[in-house]
Amino acid sequence: MQLFLPIAEVSVNAFLLLGIGGVVGFLSGMFGVGGGFLITPLLFFIGIPPAVAVATGANQVVASSVSGVMAQMRRRGVDFSMGLVLLLGGMMGSGLGIWVFALMTAAGQIDLFVQLAYVLFLGLVGLLMLQEAVRTMLRNRGGKAPIRRSHVHTWVHRLPFKIKFRISGLYISVLPPLVIGALVGFLSAVMGVGGGFIMVPAMIYLLGMPTKVVIGTSLFQIIFVTAFTTLMHAISSQSVDIMLAVLLILGGVIGAQFGAKVGLRLKAEQLRGLLAVLVLAVAIKIALDLLLAPDELYSVTKGIGL
Amino acid sequence: MRGAFLYLIFAVSLGLGLSQPTLAEEIVAQFNQTRVSITTNFEGSQIVVYGAIKRESPAPKNKKNHVIITLEGPSSTVVVRRKDRVMGIWANNAELGFEQAPSFYAIMSTAPLAKVIDEATDRLYHITIPRAIRASTQNRDSEQTTEFTDALIRVRTSEGNYVQSEYGLRLLQDTLFQGKIDLPANITEGAYRVRIFITRDGQVIDSQFREIDVRRVGLERWFFNLAHEQPLIYGILALFLAIFFGWGASALFRYIRP
């Protein structure tokens, strides 16, 4: 069934969109991530204009994060005060990202900028996750219990403006969460992702938050940052396609429920290893597009109607 | 189809039977549709042009008439960019702006265009695809203009938005003609201009311009208008739907399997 998308101005198969939503939803349910980093490149691939793909990707992440945070709230996995601090940084980062996005679009370099951001961040995070997962798997095979200290004092703990985060059991400066929030907000606006793949490791390794509140808190703040990003894109460039978003969301929320079931059967380090491979595969695919000579060197961008 | 066919018979009888004292040869034409609606399940459309050449006296012997039909979508400025290898990666490097390029352009003729119209006629009426595009006047480098114009035509041709079909038309008995133009699914809305030319010796003898209205309707129209006229409300609607479905799915699945 072909469907003409009102904002993207392309005709695509509705079942293809439901399918993309479903597969990404399945993976995001399995790994506990938003899936924006998969949806947006897939939308590029099927011919959705990049600006629409990024803005609509952000809208889809709102839905999957809402779905995820409900479950986390029931098991008390959300640190609201930490979430609010991250959110404050996130809004600032997102605003800056929207501005850079418009600037790069005008200069004709937005595709390159988005692709480079994908290669850099997915590549980096993928490698780190893979290394960590492999190390854990090897250690478990060796039979030795992992040694992990709960409170490691680093330079992070010497910064001013300290606040008590009760649910996380932390007494740290608001500056690191603000900066992390801003970075993730910036990436959300530019890449059309929620940024969970950066937020989660940053919370664990930089802020030292306990694992049980990390995913819930990250999802909580991602809802607001991606909602803000969606709204800003809708106002500044009219590039959110509701019809596209609804189909992706429908497929996504259903897929996520099945993915979560499968995820429960796998071990944590196996999950992280698989996610790392997936993230790296996306990064490599985009890197190849940049490195290999394209079939058509020229591209046409429509200006203002006369 | 049947209505159009009846019209054709009518048009031909008009062309052959009645005589008007104005021009020696005149175009009589009709389309299968003058309004194309972009609905939610729009998959493209087809414009069929039926026509005849109406004459008061017999056509001159040993001079061949030709017919050209063009269909032109709304124009906009465009920027064409070329990727080059910059520090190992392929990035947009050079660019050229065009003041005016039709979003869609189809041209069909009864013979290769070079035979049908001469250079001066093309310059006057902007008939061939390169003539329908206007490069920015700021750019004086003609070699570069040619390079980017060719690229623009190549890209839009491969997308199905620029179509040229020489011999796409047949002129029966030097009088009747019929042409079909496919509109692709990724079409821009607006007023589409149809032009019909009869030529002889490379010169235009008669021409006719008409318009076809291509428009979003229903849900398509509603979303598009809301997104552009009330972007804040549109954005809030997008968020509301996302939150509703996200929450709904989570609640529904908890209800189904407790």
Side-chain angles (χ1 to χ4, degrees):
Chain A
M1 194 182 78
Q2 289 296 118
L3 198 68
F4 187 85
L5 301 172
I7 306 297
E9 292 193 314
V10 287
S11 174
V12 286
N13 191 310
F15 296 110
L16 177 68
L17 293 179
L18 280 175
I20 288 179
V23 169
V24 173
F26 181 82
L27 295 172
S28 73
M30 193 159 122
F31 298 125
V33 293
F37 74 95
L38 289 171
I39 284 262
T40 310
L42 279 172
L43 291 181
F44 292 166
F45 190 68
I46 64 166
I48 306 288
V52 178
V54 168
T56 310
N59 194 21
Q60 185 271 339
V61 176
V62 174
S64 62
S65 307
V66 166
S67 194
V69 91
M70 305 287 288
Q72 293 293 334
M73 270 164 64
R74 284 194 290 272
R75 65 177 85 125
R76 295 178 170 277
V78 183
D79 182 342
F80 289 99
S81 47
M82 176 62 87
L84 285 174
V85 173
L86 288 168
L87 182 56
L88 197 66
M91 296 282 187
M92 293 188 281
S94 171
L96 184 70
I98 299 276
W99 181 72
V100 170
F101 194 86
L103 212 69
M104 288 290 172
T105 305
Q109 298 297 352
I110 188 63
D111 300 15
L112 176 71
F113 187 68
V114 171
Q115 283 172 314
L116 282 178
Y118 266 90
V119 171
L120 187 69
F121 287 100
L122 291 184
L124 201 69
V125 172
L127 280 176
L128 286 175
M129 280 197 308
L130 190 65
Q131 183 208 19
E132 205 263 350
V134 168
R135 203 189 296 152
T136 313
M137 276 186 242
L138 289 178
R139 197 164 45 206
N140 286 356
R141 195 165 298 169
K144 276 177 244 158
I147 305 153
R148 187 150 177 257
R149 276 187 288 168
S150 60
H151 286 284
V152 186
H153 279 260
T154 57
W155 56 271
V156 168
H157 297 86
R158 288 195 293 273
L159 292 169
F161 311 116
K162 287 195 173 186
I163 287 191
K164 199 163 258 162
F165 296 101
R166 187 160 300 146
I167 301 176
S168 302
L170 289 176
Y171 180 62
I172 54 163
S173 161
V174 294
L175 294 178
L178 273 180
V179 170
I180 292 169
L183 175 70
V184 172
F186 180 82
L187 294 181
S188 157
V190 169
M191 296 164 70
V193 297
F197 65 94
I198 289 189
M199 182 71 92
V200 169
M203 283 168 146
I204 297 175
Y205 301 113
L206 293 181
L207 302 182
M209 283 171 67
T211 322
K212 68 175 196 315
V213 296
V214 161
I215 289 181
T217 309
S218 136
L219 283 174
F220 168 77
Q221 85 92 34
I222 283 170
I223 292 176
F224 292 96
V225 172
T226 49
F228 180 71
T229 303
T230 306
L231 213 53
M232 292 301 285
H233 276 303
I235 292 168
S236 74
S237 58
Q238 284 95 40
S239 50
V240 179
D241 197 311
I242 288 189
M243 238 188 247
L244 176 60
V246 165
L247 283 168
L248 293 175
I249 289 168
L250 272 182
V253 289
I254 295 167
Q257 300 294 331
F258 292 102
K261 289 249 149 198
V262 176
L264 287 177
R265 295 206 199 116
L266 292 169
K267 281 189 200 146
E269 63 270 18
Q270 287 174 330
L271 273 179
R272 260 176 295 172
L274 283 174
L275 180 59
V277 170
L278 188 67
V279 165
L280 280 178
V282 175
I284 290 168
K285 159 82 179 76
I286 298 173
L288 284 180
D289 288 346
L290 287 174
L291 293 173
L292 299 178
D295 293 337
E296 175 61 82
L297 289 176
Y298 296 83
S299 63
V300 177
T301 312
K302 226 156 104 173
I304 327 104
L306 290 177
Chain B
M1 277 309 262
R2 189 151 157 242
F5 184 65
L6 287 176
Y7 191 91
L8 180 63
I9 293 176
F10 172 68
V12 173
S13 55
L14 192 81
L16 300 176
L18 305 172
S19 61
Q20 278 187 346
T22 46
L23 277 160
E25 280 160 306
E26 247 183 286
I27 297 167
V28 184
Q30 176 68 0
F31 311 134
N32 66 333
Q33 49 183 351
T34 54
R35 175 182 282 269
V36 175
S37 298
I38 303 181
T39 52
T40 326
N41 56 359
F42 183 72
E43 287 183 57
S45 189
Q46 193 179 51
I47 305 288
V48 186
V49 183
Y50 307 94
I53 303 173
K54 173 177 133 185
R55 304 192 172 81
E56 28 182 304
S57 51
K61 298 280 176 206
N62 60 44
K63 295 264 186 181
K64 204 162 159 37
N65 284 333
H66 285 289
V67 181
I68 305 170
I69 298 177
T70 67
L71 175 61
E72 186 181 353
S75 281
S76 68
T77 59
V78 299
V79 181
V80 178
R81 297 193 169 92
R82 186 186 64 217
K83 280 197 167 77
D84 288 309
R85 198 166 207 148
V86 185
M87 293 185 296
I89 57 173
W90 290 90
N92 286 333
N93 193 17
E95 64 175 48
L96 183 70
F98 289 82
E99 262 174 29
Q100 206 178 339
S103 57
F104 177 85
Y105 197 85
I107 176 164
M108 48 175 57
S109 50
T110 47
L113 283 169
K115 277 196 196 168
V116 178
I117 45 167
D118 57 33
E119 199 42 47
T121 306
D122 193 13
R123 208 171 302 139
L124 185 62
Y125 290 94
H126 305 284
I127 294 176
T128 58
I129 297 176
R131 285 275 175 219
I133 296 166
R134 205 167 62 222
S136 173
T137 41
Q138 291 164 355
N139 195 288
R140 305 241 173 258
D141 184 347
S142 69
E143 198 177 302
Q144 200 195 16
T145 306
T146 313
E147 175 198 333
F148 281 86
T149 306
D150 288 350
L152 173 61
I153 295 170
R154 189 173 61 245
V155 169
R156 291 225 157 141
T157 301
S158 70
E159 292 167 350
N161 285 317
Y162 286 179
V163 186
Q164 180 168 339
S165 120
E166 298 174 328
Y167 297 113
L169 275 177
R170 277 185 61 195
L171 187 59
L172 292 176
Q173 311 240 327
D174 223 9
T175 307
L176 290 178
F177 60 87
Q178 186 200 46
K180 289 177 186 161
I181 300 170
D182 287 316
L183 289 176
N186 58 350
I187 203 171
T188 307
E189 74 173 343
Y192 280 60
R193 187 166 66 139
V194 184
R195 295 182 300 171
I196 306 169
F197 298 99
I198 317 174
T199 65
R200 189 186 302 144
D201 292 333
Q203 310 269 320
V204 172
I205 312 174
D206 190 29
S207 62
Q208 208 177 82
F209 300 170
R210 300 268 202 90
E211 267 187 9
I212 291 178
D213 197 26
V214 176
R215 210 152 271 298
R216 290 181 169 88
V217 294
L219 206 56
E220 299 285 331
R221 171 96 263 141
W222 191 78
F223 276 136
F224 184 81
N225 284 352
L226 190 67
H228 287 84
E229 286 159 18
Q230 302 282 350
L232 181 65
I233 295 177
Y234 180 87
I236 291 171
L237 177 68
L239 291 179
F240 171 77
L241 287 172
I243 293 166
F244 173 77
F245 282 115
W247 170 80
S250 152
L252 182 73
F253 274 83
R254 206 154 57 102
Y255 180 74
I256 295 174
R257 358 173 158 164

